[in-house]
Amino acid sequence: MLGIGSGMAAAALANGGFPMIQTAAAQDDSGDPVIGGKLIMSLADRDVDTFDPIISTFNMSIWTSLLIYDQLVRVGPDGTSIEPGLAETWSHSDDGLTYTFSLRDTTFHDGSPVTADDVVYSLDRALTSETSTWRSLISVVDTMTAVDDKTVEIKLSDVWAPFEADLAFVAFSIFPQAALESQGDDFFQHPIGSGPFQFDTWEKETRIVLKRNETYWEEGKPYLDELEFRVLTDTNARMLQFQGGELDIVTSVPYSQLEALGANPEIVVLEEASARIDYIGMNTKRAPWDDKTLRQAINYAVDKQTIIDRVLFGNGEVATSYLPLMAGHDYDSPGYPFDLDKAKELVAQSAGKDGFKAEFIIPSGDTFSDQVGQLVAAQLAEIGGEVTLVALESGARTQKVRTDLDYDWQKGYYSTDIIDPDQLTQFAVYTDGGSKAIYTQYENPEVNEKIQAAARELDPDARQELYDQIQQMHLDDAPMIFLVYPTGGAAMSTKVKNFRILPTGNYRLWETWKEE
Amino acid sequence: MTTSTSRVSNSPDDPPIAAIFLATSASASRNQWHRFRNTSLVSGFILFTALLLLIAFYPMISPWSATQPDFSQPTFAPPSLDHPLGTDNFGRDFLTRIATAGRIDLMIALLATTVTLAVGSALGLISGYFGGWFDSLIMRLVDFTLAIPTLVLVIAIVAVLGIGTANIIYAVWIVGWVTYTRVVRSETIVARELEYVDAARVNGASHTSIMIRHILPNVMVPAIIFAMADVVLNILLCSSLSFLGLGVQSPTPEWGLMVAESRDFFLKDWKLMTYPGIAILVFGVAFSLIGDGLAKALRPKG
Amino acid sequence: MIAYVARRLLYMIPVLFMISIFIFFLLRLVPGDPAAVILGDKATDQAIEALRKELSLDKPLTTQYVTFIKNAMSGDLGDSIRLNQPVTTIMLQRIVPTLFLTVYATLLAMLIAVPLATIGALNQGKWPDFIVRAFTMIAIAMPSFWIGVMLLQFFAVKLRLLPVGGFGHGFLGHTESLLLPALALALSISSVLIRNLRTALLDTLDADFIRTARAKGLSARNVYIGHALRTSLLSTITILGVNVAYLVGGAAVTETIFAIPGVGQLIVQAIFDRDYPIIQGATLVFGLLVLCINLITDLSYAFLDPRVKYS
C-alpha cells in the first residue's frame, strides 16, 4: 500500500479504515512492457449513455469515463486502497474536518494546466447541480477553497470516514472549468479530462475510440497507443467477434463457456472476484412478505450452491450479507445455509403456512436471471411456494418496481464503485437512501442509526464493529434473498499483458500492454 | 366483363398486388400440375400429422417434466435411450421440451391465424363488394397498419399489454388482418362483376346471400393459401418476440424462447440452439406443402 | 395518370397524421418513464424530475403533441433522449447500413431467385423443379435469428473468411461485413420471389403475345428473355415493394445478431429505452417511406405491363 499522508491513522483513514482483502492471483505478466499498439475491448451491457459522470449511473459509462478523467485520488491496483490521483499529497486536520490537497503539475488534454480552481469548480458542480445523481454522497462538504493555484482546502460540516474513498469516485472527476463553462452540455460529446487516455471518437451505439494522452502525469504510461471499445450487447455477437480474433478482451462471457475458453492455450480466462452481489428483493410492505419468519424460511429454502454449480458453473460464492466481498464485509457472517428442514419448520410458523404465491419480476432477455428464477421457483415449491416468473423489459420494470412499488419480488444485483462500504450501505439498506433500500422498503430504525454512526466513526475497529452489526441485523431481518457473489466472466488473448479487472469493475488500462 | 389481367382501375386503392394474386390463381388452373396436385398436399399432411402426433402425445407419455429442473439427470447429455434428444442445462429431457413447446407455438399460431383470416376476409369481402366510404375507411386503415413497421407495432402493443402468451395473440390480431383484407377485397372487386352475380341480382338475391353463396367460396381461396404461410410467419413472429425477451414466459418452453435461452450455451452444446430452430423449420415446411397442395386442389376451373 | 398520382399523394397526408397520433399516444400508454429508464436504477427522484422537466414530459399530452407536429413540419423531429442528438441526424446515419443491407439482400435474393425460378419453370414437374420448390419451403421457414448465428459461426469464426458482424469501413468493407446478414435475409426473400416469379413465368410463357412473338419467328431464347422476363418482373417488383417495408422493419433481429448499427436495431432499442423522439420520428419516416414505395411499385407496374392503366 502506498504511503499517504502521515502516520498510521492517516493510513487507516486512507483505506476507509479497513484491512486489505486478498484479490485473485495474477496471470503471467512477465516481460517488458511493449510501447504502442491498439487494444479492442467489448462494452457488453450497453453503450456509454453520457460522459458526464455526475449524471451517469451505468457501469459502462463509469468505467470508460475513469480512463478519460482524473480524480483527486483514485483506487489502487489492488482494488482495496486509495492512491494519489491529481493530488500528489494530502493531509487532514486531527478532528477530521479539514482536508488539504496538493495538486501535481499536469495539464488537461487541451493543454490548459490543472488548477485548484478547476477542482473546486468540478466538485462544486457535482454537489450542487440539479441533475447530479451523486449529490448526497458527500453532502457533508461545507466549503471548498482554492488556497492557491495548486492547493485545495475542503472543510466538512461533520466527520466523514468514507471521504477519501468517495472522492475517488468518478462523479468527482476534475474538468477544465473554462472549456466546460464555454461549451456547456456539448462538452460531453467530446470530453476533455486529464486522464491517461484522450477522447477521440464516439460512434454512438457502435464504438468509442480513445488515444494515448502523451502528456499524462505518470511517466512512461500509458503503453498502448489506442483503445477501442465496441458496443456488443448481443452475447453471441460478442463471443463470435472474440473467437474470430477481432476482440482482444471480451467481457460478460456466459459462464457455461468459460471452461471451453480456458482450454484454449491462446486465451486467458480472468477469474477475478468482483464486488458484486445478486439478490432477490422482497417488497417488505406487502403481505405476506412483511412477515420476517417467512422471509427467513424462504432464505433457508433456496439452495444457492446449486445455483452456483448449475448456472454459474462454479464461478461464484454463496452470498452471506448484503455487502459483496469488499472492505467492511463480515467474513464471519453465517448467511442462510441451505436447510430445507429448518425452512419447513419456519414456514409452518409463518404467514406462509398454508402456502404462498409470489410474482417474481426478472429483467427480460437476461438469461442469468431467468435461470436463477427457474431454479428458485422449483426450490421454493418444496415449502409450499408458488413462484411465477414475470419477465419485464426495463421500462415496464422501472414503472412497477421503482415508481409504483407494485411488486412481490424482483431480481437485482449491484456492485460497488467505491471501496468503502458506506455508499453501498446507504444505497441498499438505509431507508431514505434514495432507492428505498433497493425498493424493499426495509425499515429498521436501529439499523438506520448505526449506518449514520458508522459513516462518522473514524476508528477502524469500531467502524468494522458497526458494519458487522448492521450486516447481522439486516441478515436477520432478511428483506432480500441472499443469492451469490459471482466471480470472473471475462477472457482475453494471451497477447494482452497486465490487464486486470478491479473488484470495483473498472480496469487500469494505462498499465496494460500488448505483445506483438 | 373484364378479365383478370386487363383491368382498368378507377380507384386509387386497387393495389396491383391483387392482380398478381389473380394472375397466379387464374393461371394455376391452366397449367398441367395435376400430376403433382396431390403429392404436395398429401406429403404436407403426412408431415403435419406426424408432428401433431408428436406434440400431442409425446408430452403425455414421456416420464420427464418439460419445466422442472432435474439434476438427477446429467446435464447437456447427448442423445440416449432415456433421452432421445439428450438433456439441457437443467437436466430436462429435450424432446419433451420441444414437443411441449410445439403445443404452445401451434396453439398461438392457429389462434392468431384463424381469427385474422376470418376477420380480415370478412372486412375484405364487405369492402370490395360495397365500396364507398366503408371501403375508403378500411383501405386507409390498411395503409396505416402497413406503414408502421410490424415489429415496432407488435413490440409497442406487447409493451402496453404486458408480456405473455395471450398478449402475443392479441398483438397479432391487431396487425395480422391486413393482408387478408387486401387479397379478398381485390378478388371480390373482380368477382362482383362476373355474369352470374348479375344474374343472381336480377333474380332478386340479397347482397348477403350473393356475398356468401357466390363470391365467398371463390375469393377465399387465395386467403386460405396465404393463411398457410401466415401460420409459419406467426410462429416466427412469436419466436422472434420470445427471442427478444418479450414473448412466452419461462419456464414454459417455446421454440423461439428455447433458441434465445440457448445462446449462452452455444459453445458448450450447440444442439440446444439447433433443434428448436429445426422444429420451426419442419413445421414451416409442412404448412408450405399443405399450402401448395391446397393451391392446386382448390383452384376453381375457369 | 397525373390525377391518380395526385390523389394517392393526397391520401398520404391523413394516413401520416393518423400514424403520428397513434404512435404518440400509444407510446405514452406504454408503462415506464423515459427519464427513469434513461437515468437507471440508482438515480434519485430529484434527478428524474429535473430530466422530465428538461424533456418537457411534464407538460400536458396535447401540448407535447402539437409541439411535436409543428416541429416535424419544419423538419425538426426533436432530439433523442438517450443519444442527445437530433433524431434526423441519427436516422440519416443509421439508415445507411440498413439500406445497404436491404438492397444487398434484395440483389442477392434476385441472384438466387431468377436462375432458380427459371430452372423450375422450364423443368416444371421434373426433379429440378422439385428441388427448387423444396428449397423455397425450407428457406421461408428458417428463423432469421437462427440462421444468422449458424452462418456467423461457420463462415466467420470457423473459416475466418469474413468479418464477424459490424458494418466495416469503405464500400468494400461494407460488402464484406454485410455479406452474411444479407445472405440470411436473402434466403427468406428469395423463397417468396422464386414462387411468384416461377408462377408468373409459367403464366406468361403461355400467354397470347408470347405465341405471337414466336410465330413471328423470334427464337425461343429471345422470346423468353425479351418478353417473359420483362413482364415477370412485375410480380417481383410488387413482392419486393411489399417486402421492403417488412424488411426495413424486420431487419432488427438480424442487425442485433450481426451488430450492425442500422435503423431496425435503433428502433427496437429505442422502444426499450422509451426514447420517444426516436420512435416517433422513425415511425413517421418509415410511414412516409412505405407509402412512397407502394406508390412507386404501383406506378412501375403500370409502366411495365401495358395492359394495366390507371385513371
Side-chain angles (χ1 to χ4, degrees):
Chain A
M1 195 164 85
L2 299 172
I4 305 150
S6 53
M8 281 295 289
L13 260 183
N15 196 12
F18 295 98
M20 274 169 55
I21 302 171
Q22 295 306 312
T23 48
Q27 57 261 26
D28 172 27
D29 297 317
S30 53
D32 294 322
V34 170
I35 314 271
K38 171 171 167 167
L39 184 100
I40 307 182
M41 188 168 158
S42 60
L43 281 179
D45 294 349
R46 44 168 302 150
D47 188 15
V48 165
D49 65 324
T50 173
F51 280 108
D52 187 357
I54 71 173
I55 300 179
S56 177
T57 61
F58 293 113
N59 284 335
M60 305 286 111
S61 314
I62 294 177
W63 300 341
T64 317
S65 296
L66 282 173
L67 296 168
I68 301 176
Y69 306 120
D70 278 326
Q71 300 76 39
L72 279 177
V73 296
R74 66 185 186 194
V75 177
D78 55 8
T80 57
S81 58
I82 295 292
E83 67 173 18
L86 277 179
E88 234 171 355
T89 60
W90 65 93
S91 63
H92 60 90
S93 58
D94 286 327
D95 60 4
L97 290 178
T98 308
Y99 279 78
T100 314
F101 295 89
S102 292
L103 304 178
R104 67 179 73 242
D105 249 327
T106 185
T107 57
F108 288 108
H109 299 147
D110 64 356
S112 59
V114 176
T115 66
D117 283 326
D118 294 310
V119 173
V120 172
Y121 168 75
S122 306
L123 292 181
D124 184 67
R125 182 174 179 268
L127 291 172
T128 57
S129 175
E130 251 200 26
T131 50
S132 170
T133 320
W134 303 101
R135 257 200 302 199
S136 55
L137 198 54
I138 46 174
S139 50
V140 292
V141 167
D142 201 17
T143 63
M144 295 185 288
T145 344
V147 171
D148 60 47
D149 235 18
K150 294 284 176 197
T151 318
V152 178
E153 187 187 80
I154 303 182
K155 282 196 167 48
L156 308 180
S157 60
D158 199 354
V159 166
W160 195 245
F163 187 56
E164 278 164 38
D166 288 342
L167 276 181
F169 182 53
V170 75
F172 305 114
S173 296
I174 310 299
F175 311 104
Q177 176 176 11
L180 181 45
E181 273 181 338
S182 66
Q183 294 173 36
D185 276 336
D186 214 39
F187 175 86
F188 295 107
Q189 296 299 318
H190 33 78
I192 299 173
S194 57
F197 291 95
Q198 200 164 309
F199 175 86
D200 182 77
T201 327
W202 188 7
E203 287 166 26
K204 305 257 174 139
E205 305 293 303
T206 310
R207 62 192 198 129
I208 294 173
V209 177
L210 305 180
K211 293 213 155 90
R212 177 203 287 125
N213 173 9
E214 305 288 349
T215 55
Y216 186 52
W217 52 263
E218 252 194 81
E219 198 58 47
K221 297 191 191 142
Y223 302 118
L224 293 163
D225 286 333
E226 196 178 308
L227 297 177
E228 181 183 323
F229 294 98
R230 289 206 190 150
V231 181
L232 291 166
T233 50
D234 182 77
T235 310
N236 273 349
R238 202 161 63 242
M239 294 312 300
L240 287 170
Q241 282 210 14
F242 177 66
Q243 288 176 276
E246 293 176 37
L247 283 182
D248 296 305
I249 303 175
V250 65
T251 52
S252 291
V253 175
Y255 294 105
S256 59
Q257 300 190 19
L258 285 172
E259 199 186 320
L261 285 179
N264 183 332
E266 288 178 38
I267 295 179
V268 175
V269 170
L270 297 160
E271 287 165 2
E272 275 116 17
S274 71
R276 166 176 161 152
I277 176 177
D278 282 75
Y279 66 90
I280 300 176
M282 294 190 266
N283 190 352
T284 60
K285 295 258 191 250
R286 174 187 280 202
W289 325 116
D290 50 357
D291 179 356
K292 181 162 108 168
T293 319
L294 178 58
R295 298 199 298 264
Q296 293 177 336
I298 290 172
N299 263 288
Y300 278 115
V302 172
D303 182 1
K304 299 99 176 141
Q305 192 57 47
T306 304
I307 293 178
I308 293 175
D309 294 335
R310 299 298 184 177
V311 181
L312 294 176
F313 292 84
N315 294 286
E317 301 198 16
V318 175
T320 52
S321 138
Y322 74 87
L323 272 186
L325 298 171
M326 58 181 281
H329 177 84
D330 179 4
Y331 284 89
D332 296 320
S333 169
Y336 283 98
F338 175 50
D339 189 339
L340 206 48
D341 294 322
K342 183 114 201 239
K344 288 185 178 159
E345 192 189 306
L346 287 174
V347 150
Q349 304 162 11
S350 77
K353 59 180 179 290
D354 299 316
F356 56 94
K357 282 198 183 140
E359 261 192 8
F360 179 11
I361 296 180
I362 57 178
S364 78
D366 179 358
T367 333
F368 176 52
S369 298
D370 177 63
Q371 296 185 358
V372 167
Q374 292 188 45
L375 282 184
V376 167
Q379 289 166 357
L380 288 176
E382 302 278 335
I383 59 167
E386 201 184 301
V387 179
T388 328
L389 293 181
V390 176
L392 291 181
E393 39 90 29
S394 64
R397 211 167 65 246
T398 316
Q399 184 74 33
K400 276 205 90 150
V401 175
R402 201 219 147 95
T403 320
D404 300 338
L405 286 169
D406 172 27
Y407 76 100
D408 287 326
W409 298 356
Q410 60 113 7
K411 163 81 180 48
Y413 76 91
Y414 53 79
S415 56
T416 188
D417 303 296
I418 299 178
I419 64 175
D420 185 280
D422 169 67
Q423 190 262 328
L424 214 50
T425 308
Q426 300 237 21
F427 169 67
V429 176
Y430 189 57
T431 312
D432 292 318
S435 73
K436 305 189 186 63
I438 37 172
Y439 316 113
T440 58
Q441 304 190 74
Y442 175 57
E443 206 175 318
N444 183 326
E446 214 187 316
V447 168
N448 287 342
E449 253 178 57
K450 290 194 193 282
I451 293 176
Q452 292 306 323
R456 289 159 180 79
E457 177 56 67
L458 292 181
D459 174 57
D461 291 320
R463 202 165 174 232
Q464 181 66 58
E465 176 60 36
L466 279 171
Y467 279 111
D468 283 345
Q469 289 170 5
I470 293 171
Q471 288 173 77
Q472 280 317 299
M473 294 170 74
H474 180 267
L475 184 74
D476 186 64
D477 284 331
M480 57 161 74
I481 305 178
F482 301 86
L483 290 176
V484 295
Y485 302 132
T487 62
M492 64 187 196
S493 144
T494 43
K495 292 210 181 84
V496 179
K497 298 294 181 195
N498 204 24
F499 174 80
R500 237 167 232 80
I501 298 184
L502 269 48
T504 39
N506 60 308
Y507 16 85
R508 294 162 61 104
L509 278 168
W510 58 93
E511 298 175 334
T512 306
W513 70 89
K514 232 177 115 166
E515 253 177 16
E516 291 305 302
Chain B
M1 174 188 127
T2 55
T3 63
S4 60
T5 46
S6 58
R7 298 164 53 229
V8 174
S9 169
N10 279 323
S11 155
D13 293 323
D14 293 323
I17 187 172
I20 301 305
F21 274 90
L22 291 173
T24 353
S25 60
S27 71
S29 60
R30 286 186 270 144
N31 287 315
Q32 311 92 330
W33 286 0
H34 1 272
R35 273 177 288 169
F36 278 78
R37 187 170 70 185
N38 289 322
T39 310
S40 306
L41 197 54
V42 167
S43 45
F45 223 67
I46 292 178
L47 190 55
F48 176 64
T49 314
L51 291 170
L52 197 60
L53 286 175
L54 176 72
I55 67 178
F57 292 112
Y58 192 78
M60 291 202 288
I61 63 174
S62 160
W64 311 109
S65 160
T67 54
Q68 282 289 98
D70 185 354
F71 296 118
S72 69
Q73 300 300 306
T75 56
F76 299 106
S80 66
L81 276 183
D82 270 343
H83 299 287
L85 285 184
T87 60
D88 68 1
N89 59 310
F90 280 165
R92 296 179 288 211
D93 179 46
F94 212 51
L95 184 55
T96 312
R97 289 209 93 210
I98 296 228
T100 313
R103 293 178 167 191
I104 314 269
D105 273 307
L106 195 59
M107 177 196 74
I108 294 178
L110 286 180
L111 270 179
T113 311
T114 40
V115 169
T116 49
L117 170 64
V119 171
S121 304
L123 282 178
L125 183 62
I126 300 174
S127 205
Y129 188 81
F130 289 113
W133 63 269
F134 184 74
D135 185 33
S136 272
L137 179 65
I138 296 291
M139 286 319 284
R140 295 290 78 71
L141 209 53
V142 166
D143 273 343
F144 166 75
T145 314
L146 280 180
I148 306 183
T150 317
L151 198 62
V152 173
L153 198 49
V154 172
I155 292 179
I157 295 175
V158 168
V160 173
L161 296 176
I163 298 176
T165 320
N167 295 333
I168 301 176
I169 302 179
Y170 299 148
V172 175
W173 284 353
I174 295 177
V175 304
W177 54 275
V178 171
T179 314
Y180 296 105
T181 306
R182 286 182 84 173
V183 168
V184 171
R185 178 180 170 280
S186 307
E187 295 259 348
T188 308
I189 288 179
V190 171
R192 77 177 173 201
E193 309 293 335
L194 296 176
E195 278 172 3
Y196 65 87
V197 171
D198 284 337
R201 298 252 36 222
V202 162
N203 283 337
S206 72
H207 286 301
T208 322
S209 112
I210 294 178
M211 282 200 293
I212 296 180
R213 292 179 57 221
H214 297 282
I215 299 184
L216 188 62
N218 294 324
V219 304
M220 277 304 287
V221 174
I224 294 181
I225 295 171
F226 179 70
M228 296 297 113
D230 202 29
V231 171
V232 180
L233 289 178
N234 284 333
I235 293 184
L236 286 177
L237 182 62
C238 177
S239 303
S240 301
L241 280 178
S242 303
F243 183 79
L244 289 174
L246 296 172
V248 172
Q249 289 285 7
S250 276
T252 312
E254 189 273 327
W255 288 331
L257 186 59
M258 288 168 76
V259 174
E261 282 173 342
S262 312
R263 271 188 301 171
D264 278 5
F265 304 121
F266 194 57
L267 270 190
K268 194 156 172 71
D269 188 354
W270 57 269
K271 76 162 190 287
L272 292 184
M273 246 194 104
T274 316
Y275 292 161
I278 293 183
I280 299 177
L281 197 58
V282 172
F283 248 106
V285 170
F287 275 103
S288 294
L289 284 172
I290 295 179
D292 257 12
L294 280 180
K296 295 161 201 161
L298 289 183
R299 201 48 75 185
K301 302 285 203 258
Chain C
M1 185 60 109
I2 307 285
Y4 174 74
V5 175
R7 242 179 312 168
R8 283 289 292 264
L9 287 174
L10 218 59
Y11 270 121
M12 280 195 214
I13 299 180
V15 175
L16 284 175
F17 261 110
M18 265 168 72
I19 294 177
S20 67
I21 297 181
F22 178 74
I23 276 296
F24 194 87
F25 289 101
L26 178 67
L27 281 183
R28 278 140 185 91
L29 266 185
V30 175
D33 171 19
V37 177
I38 299 292
L39 292 179
D41 280 341
K42 295 198 190 147
T44 56
D45 286 332
Q46 303 106 298
I48 293 182
E49 262 318 299
L51 190 54
R52 282 184 64 87
K53 265 217 218 69
E54 207 181 292
L55 299 173
S56 309
L57 289 174
D58 53 341
K59 302 225 181 65
L61 277 187
T62 26
T63 319
Q64 289 185 46
Y65 178 70
V66 169
T67 319
F68 169 63
I69 288 293
K70 263 207 312 216
N71 289 339
M73 299 222 262
S74 58
D76 170 21
L77 291 173
D79 285 353
S80 157
I81 297 179
R82 199 158 64 89
L83 303 174
N84 274 311
Q85 282 174 322
V87 173
T88 30
T89 316
I90 300 175
M91 296 265 326
L92 282 172
Q93 260 174 10
R94 303 284 286 239
I95 206 147
V96 173
T98 305
L99 273 182
F100 203 105
L101 179 63
T102 313
V103 172
Y104 203 175
T106 311
L107 286 175
L108 282 179
M110 282 172 70
L111 265 174
I112 301 175
V114 173
L116 284 182
T118 312
I119 295 174
L122 290 179
N123 293 294
Q124 188 213 344
K126 299 178 230 156
W127 280 114
D129 187 26
F130 181 71
I131 293 179
V132 168
R133 284 172 51 225
F135 169 80
T136 66
M137 282 190 252
I138 293 178
I140 199 171
M142 222 177 296
S144 59
F145 50 83
W146 183 71
I147 189 70
V149 178
M150 298 287 160
L151 283 175
L152 261 184
Q153 180 68 13
F154 190 62
F155 285 102
V157 179
K158 277 235 155 54
L159 296 182
R160 302 246 173 153
L161 276 180
L162 290 162
V164 182
F167 190 40
H169 297 281
F171 188 76
L172 213 58
H174 297 331
T175 326
E176 251 192 338
S177 300
L178 293 186
L179 178 57
L180 289 179
L183 198 57
L185 284 177
L187 279 177
S188 46
I189 307 174
S190 66
S191 65
V192 178
L193 269 185
I194 292 175
R195 307 179 108 213
N196 285 278
L197 198 50
R198 178 176 164 280
T199 311
L201 275 175
L202 288 170
D203 183 29
T204 45
L205 277 176
D206 265 2
D208 282 337
F209 65 91
I210 299 275
R211 248 178 268 145
T212 320
R214 266 207 175 123
K216 286 189 191 157
L218 298 168
S219 74
R221 192 159 159 270
N222 282 346
V223 167
Y224 177 71
I225 294 172
H227 297 267
L229 208 54
R230 183 172 177 219
T231 319
S232 309
L233 259 132
L234 283 174
S235 52
T236 312
I237 294 191
T238 314
I239 299 298
L240 282 181
V242 170
N243 271 323
V244 168
Y246 152 77
L247 262 188
V248 177
V253 177
T254 314
E255 285 177 8
T256 310
I257 298 176
F258 288 91
I260 303 171
V263 131
Q265 192 223 39
L266 174 73
I267 295 190
V268 173
Q269 193 58 47
I271 296 181
F272 287 144
D273 291 331
R274 304 291 191 273
D275 196 340
Y276 294 161
I278 289 194
I279 307 173
Q280 285 157 196
T283 315
L284 262 187
V285 170
F286 266 130
L288 191 56
L289 204 66
V290 170
L291 291 173
C292 288
I293 290 178
N294 282 346
L295 180 57
I296 295 175
T297 316
D298 291 356
L299 290 178
S300 58
Y301 184 80
F303 174 69
L304 282 173
D305 186 346
R307 294 172 292 172
V308 175
K309 299 179 190 57
Y310 297 118
S311 68

